Every structure is written in structure tokens, then in C-alpha cells.
Amino acid sequence: MSGGQAGPEALDAAMTAAWIRHAAELVAADAERLTRLDAAIGDGDHGLNLNRGFTAAVAALPAEPDPPGRTLITAGRALVSKTGGASGPLYGTALRRAGKAFGSEAEVDAALLGRALRAAVDGVQELGQAAEGDKTMVDALAPAAAAYETGLEAGGDLATCVRAAAEAAEKGAEATVPMTARKGRASYLGARSAGHLDPGAASTVLILRALADVVGEAAG
């Protein structure tokens, strides 16, 4: 690690690039399940599209890691350009908003990461016009940001807060199963959308789990 902060206290350039790469690995490994989830209430291409987008995001990363903010903006742009459907703009917006919140910092401490997660939620909600309870990725992302903030207020370190965020995202995703979709393709099904896990919430869990894994590994 570089600078005065190290390990779980800060997210540096190498860790941020590792987050994107690990997210791509988790998405690739789970692409078939994501596609099955989407086939039940959507277009049936979420896993395929997101896998293609994250593959492009990894390919866009330079050999020598950029600062964290630039890394997320680069990955976000790749997701927008290479991911089909609504997923590309939504995930791309989330990463780009987070990257802009990071600014030019070489290392991102726990407080700044919390602000970036909140910026990601705001960006997704502005673009998709979705709220919690609409059965979308917001149902995983918003609870994750809130849990992170709660952990931070309680004095938690980076690893603790990120782990809390990932766990909250998973619970939020599971909570979409009984919901009736009010946004996106699934909303066309009305009551028939109930009983299915939202694919966007499921993939959001993977991305936050990837972050928790990378930070946890750095924490030892």
C-alpha cells in the first residue's frame, strides 16, 4: 500500500482495480443464474449482458492501476458502451458517480467510500426513477449504502463497513422475491412478477461482495 493509510483503512489504486476484476469474475461465474432469473421476469439476457460489460471493463483497465476514481469512471464507461439493455447505463452510472465522488484521491478512506456509495445510489435512482420496494437493483444498493453509513457512524473500519454493506445488499435482494415489480420490464407482468428474485438486485450483491472480498483480503 502507498501513503499513510494501509490495509483495511483505505481503498487504493490496486485494490480498486482488483475490485473490478473480482466483480467480473463473480459475474462470469454466476452469469447463467442471473440469466435464468431474468428469463422469469425480464428479457432473459441480464447475465450475458453484464458478463460482457464487465469483461469490457476489465479490458479497459490499464496495466498500471489508475487512481481509484479514474478506475471506476473507466469501468463505468465500458459498462455503458458494452452492456446491453438497461443494465449498462444503470451500473455504469453507479460506478461513474462513485468515481467522481472519489475525485483525484490516491487513497479512499472509509468516510469517502461511504459518500461514494450514496452518490451511486442517487445516480441509479435519478436515472431509473426507482425507489426501494419497486423490485429493482435499488432494493439491494440502497440498503447497502445505508448499512455502510450506519457502520461508519458506529465507528466501524473500512472492512467492517463494507462487509455490512454486502450483507445488507444480500438481504435486500432476497426481500425482492415477494415484491410486485413497479419498474422495468418486470412491471409488465404485474402480480406475476411476485415470487421471483430480481436479477438486478442479485447482480448488485455480487458487485458489493466483490468489494468486501478485496477489502477483507487486504485486511488479512
Side-chain angles (χ1 to χ4, degrees):
M1 304 294 169
S2 60
Q5 293 179 313
E9 296 179 5
L11 191 68
D12 68 6
M15 290 166 66
T16 307
W19 172 23
I20 298 301
R21 292 192 175 94
H22 189 38
E25 292 169 352
L26 294 185
V27 167
D30 216 22
E32 289 187 10
R33 181 181 75 102
L34 294 176
T35 292
R36 286 198 303 271
L37 291 174
D38 195 36
I41 58 174
D43 293 328
D45 57 4
H46 184 60
L48 177 67
N49 283 343
L50 201 60
N51 186 26
R52 182 169 60 242
F54 267 97
T55 297
V58 170
L61 298 180
E64 190 67 28
D66 280 332
R70 188 177 299 171
T71 292
L72 292 194
I73 290 171
T74 296
R77 285 174 178 162
L79 283 169
V80 171
S81 65
K82 298 297 184 181
T83 308
S87 300
L90 290 168
Y91 284 103
T93 293
L95 290 182
R96 288 189 297 180
R97 287 290 186 94
K100 289 177 181 177
F102 284 174
S104 58
E105 296 297 320
E107 292 187 332
V108 175
D109 64 13
L112 181 52
L113 181 56
R115 293 195 294 274
L117 286 174
R118 180 53 59 187
V121 174
D122 291 344
V124 168
Q125 290 190 292
E126 288 171 17
L127 181 62
Q129 294 295 299
E132 288 184 73
D134 284 345
K135 199 181 179 91
T136 71
M137 65 184 287
V138 172
D139 290 300
L141 188 58
Y148 187 100
E149 291 162 350
T150 298
L152 194 63
E153 289 169 3
D157 63 10
L158 184 66
T160 300
C161 294
V162 169
R163 186 166 57 249
E167 291 171 356
E170 191 160 356
K171 291 178 182 176
E174 289 297 330
T176 67
V177 174
M179 292 178 184
T180 297
R182 295 196 291 257
K183 293 289 181 180
R185 178 85 178 196
S187 66
Y188 301 161
L189 298 177
R192 287 180 295 156
S193 63
H196 300 280
L197 180 68
D198 180 71
S203 54
T204 298
V205 171
L206 298 180
I207 295 166
L208 289 165
R209 186 184 300 160
L211 176 59
D213 287 348
V214 168
V215 173
E217 182 178 341

